[in-house]
Structure formats: structure tokens, C-alpha cells
Amino acid sequence: LEHLQDRTGHQFIMNVSPDYGTLLSDLEAGRLDIAILPSSAYADSLESQPTGLHYLVTSTRSTASGASSPFYYGYIVTALDSPLQNLEGLKGKRFGFVDHKSSSGYRFPLATLLNAGVVPRSDFRDTLFLGTHDAIAAALANETIDAGAIWDEAYDQYTVDGQNPMRIIAKTSPIPEEAWVASSVLEANLREKIKKALLEITRDTKSPVGTPIFSGELRKTGHTAHGSGFYQIMSETKRI
């Protein structure tokens, strides 16, 4: 926020919404000026006409090679010592998803399964929705599921000294990173100032007081501009 304040000359106040529905409602009503929306929530807003939201930028993050990317992935995983080797082998097994609204924990893994000819409703012995990515890892460790869907960064957090208690069976297609959007009441010239300030940020950018903008375990590297059409794939997976 300090970076935006320094570049635009406007004060910004942090607001944490209790859920995505409230966040979208506050944006559309003009109670919030800008927000960061997960790709699925932004895609949902595009289907709600008219919302009046203005796309600004897409976040980017560091990949394993060190490059910046506007995408992340979902993994279909099993326990490291599991005999399962491919998606076909999941038939007749117990499978865990995160949540119906999760892109990496449901929508994209579901598309991956269906494209491989695996239909959860008829092919799995049991299908569970566990609520969080950590719950997927815990269920695999406790052997209450045979395989599950998990966010790639959540998977990476369980890697210690090059070892992970889970093994990847399949990787989803690329999922767009979160979108920065502005409400319809925010004037155009300020929207452009905010967009410019966000596009200036790199992984090495520091705030006006000298602290790194991206710190700790954050893999964020900056932002890029694509347009709202970049999120069309989200609506397509929602209709599966």
C-alpha cells in the first residue's frame, strides 16, 4: 500500500472481506475502490452483468526456473509410497477435493480427470470435499483418501530437504493468477495511476521506507496486463 500511496498521492486503507461474495458486492456498490480477486471470483464477476468492474493487472509469481509467470497449477497427488501411477488407476479409489469453488482444488483437477476419461461421480468409490489444501495432505497422510487435488504452492510447502510425502500423478492446465480490479466509481485517471504503479513493481522493488514489497515465503514477482479475456478459461471450467 505504501508503494501505491507514494506513486499516486492517495491514501489507501486495507480492508479484509469475510468472503468473496461480500468482496464482490462491496466492489460493485462502490464501497471498495480496488481489490485483488482470485481468478475464479473474477470470472464469476464477469458473468454478472453489469458489474462495472475495471480490470487493472494480473499478479505474477516465480516459477521453479526462476522466471515470472501469470499462472499457477493444480496437482493430483497421492501418498509417496502409494502404488497408484496414473489417473486410470484412480478408478475405484477414494478421492479428495478442496471445495467446489476452488480452481486448483476442484475445477481444474476435475477437468483433468474428465479429459482422461475418469468420471468422479461414477468411477470413484468415495468423493470427499475437505475444505482446505492442508486437509488434503493430512487425509493422504492418515490414509483416509487414496488421492486428492492440491494447489502447487501448498504441495511445495511440504517439501523438506528435497523430499515430499506426496507424489504428483497429474498436473492441470495453467490457471490464471489473481486479478487486480477497480470499482466503477473510481475515476479513470486514478485507475491508470494505480495500474502504472503496479506494473512498475518487480521482485526487487522496495517500499518508500526501504522494506521489500514481496517478502517471506511470497512467490510474487510483480504484475502484468492482459485484459479480462485472460480469465475466460475460468468460466469454461465452471461449466464442466
Side-chain angles (χ1 to χ4, degrees), residues 2-184:
E2 290 87 353
H3 176 80
L4 292 180
Q5 291 175 167
D6 182 63
R7 291 296 191 271
T8 66
H10 288 260
Q11 182 180 9
F12 290 83
I13 300 172
M14 176 76 75
N15 179 82
V16 179
S17 297
D19 53 63
Y20 298 143
T22 302
L23 178 57
L24 284 171
S25 295
D26 287 344
L27 270 172
E28 293 167 7
R31 290 186 290 270
L32 293 175
D33 294 309
I34 60 173
I36 305 171
L37 293 179
S39 50
S40 57
Y42 180 53
D44 288 346
S45 79
L46 293 175
E47 294 182 349
S48 175
Q49 295 296 332
T51 65
L53 299 185
H54 297 276
Y55 168 86
L56 297 175
V57 297
T58 296
S59 297
T60 58
R61 66 169 194 158
S62 178
T63 65
S65 66
S68 291
S69 172
F71 297 106
Y72 66 102
Y73 295 86
Y75 293 153
I76 293 175
V77 296
T78 189
L80 182 62
D81 58 358
S82 167
L84 294 173
Q85 297 297 323
N86 51 46
L87 296 180
E88 180 69 20
L90 295 178
K91 293 182 177 181
K93 304 300 183 182
R94 301 163 300 169
F95 194 91
F97 289 111
V98 174
D99 180 275
H100 283 93
K101 292 185 177 181
S102 173
S103 297
S104 58
Y106 178 64
R107 290 185 182 182
F108 278 72
L110 176 60
T112 299
L113 289 165
L114 294 176
N115 288 336
V118 179
V119 182
R121 183 176 300 176
S122 58
D123 288 333
F124 290 159
R125 172 154 59 99
D126 198 7
T127 302
L128 304 175
F129 287 86
L130 301 179
T132 68
H133 296 275
D134 285 339
I136 297 293
L140 285 170
N142 296 332
E143 300 183 355
T144 55
I145 60 173
D146 300 299
I150 196 170
W151 178 36
D152 59 357
E153 286 196 29
Y155 173 88
D156 291 343
Q157 289 172 3
Y158 286 89
T159 301
V160 178
D161 296 328
Q163 297 294 317
N164 194 301
M166 296 173 282
R167 178 165 45 82
I168 301 169
I169 298 177
K171 180 179 179 180
T172 69
S173 56
I175 308 170
E177 277 282 356
E178 61 200 13
W180 286 70
V181 299
S183 74
S184 60

